[in-house]
Amino acid sequence: VQLQASGGGLVQAGGSLRLSCVASGSIFGINDMAWYRQVPGKQRDVVATITSGGSTTYADSVKGRFTMSRDNAKNTVYLQMNSLQPEDTAVYYCNANVQPSRWRSTVYNYWGQGTLVTVSS
């Protein structure tokens, strides 16, 4: 299973970006998915999560500005980021709990490669 994140870039403060993360490979089902972000020298923090049914949670710092959604048919999650601020600058990673096989209930956790978001003031 691979997670491919995209959509990062350079944006001015107040602007918007939309991140995407596509899961591919041997996939029977995907449970919870999440976006994390990491600034060099700091720990990786959760930004938003979404269940298979579409229920979401957000870090306090992004509530009201970021929206996470998913398209189960495309094995894809999105992160719509509005009103971006310089403190949102980080590498954003997607994360997923995947059941590769319908014959086994084992779920594995996977990380994408990260996409850099830079917000200039």
Side-chain angles (χ1 to χ4, degrees):
V1 175
Q2 298 83 37
L3 299 181
Q4 181 69 45
S6 62
L10 174 64
V11 64
Q12 289 187 332
S16 298
L17 283 174
R18 188 191 195 206
L19 305 184
S20 300
C21 176
V22 181
S24 61
S26 177
I27 298 171
F28 172 70
I30 304 178
N31 299 339
D32 293 359
M33 301 185 77
W35 286 100
Y36 286 73
R37 65 186 181 187
Q38 187 172 26
V39 175
K42 295 190 175 182
Q43 68 180 18
R44 190 173 296 185
D45 294 323
V46 63
V47 174
T49 68
I50 190 166
T51 66
S52 57
S55 296
T56 54
T57 65
Y58 298 95
D60 287 343
S61 59
V62 307
K63 281 181 181 177
R65 300 188 297 123
F66 291 11
T67 302
M68 186 174 184
S69 60
R70 66 190 287 171
D71 185 333
N72 290 331
K74 297 181 179 179
N75 289 336
T76 301
V77 289
Y78 306 96
L79 186 67
Q80 178 66 43
M81 305 185 295
N82 299 328
S83 303
L84 283 161
Q85 300 301 316
E87 52 266 34
D88 295 316
T89 296
V91 178
Y92 284 72
Y93 297 90
C94 60
N95 179 273
N97 292 313
V98 179
Q99 181 180 343
S101 171
R102 66 182 298 170
W103 308 114
R104 297 184 63 185
S105 61
T106 306
V107 174
Y108 298 89
N109 185 261
Y110 295 92
W111 289 95
Q113 87 286 4
T115 184
L116 176 62
V117 172
T118 304
V119 185
S120 63
S121 58

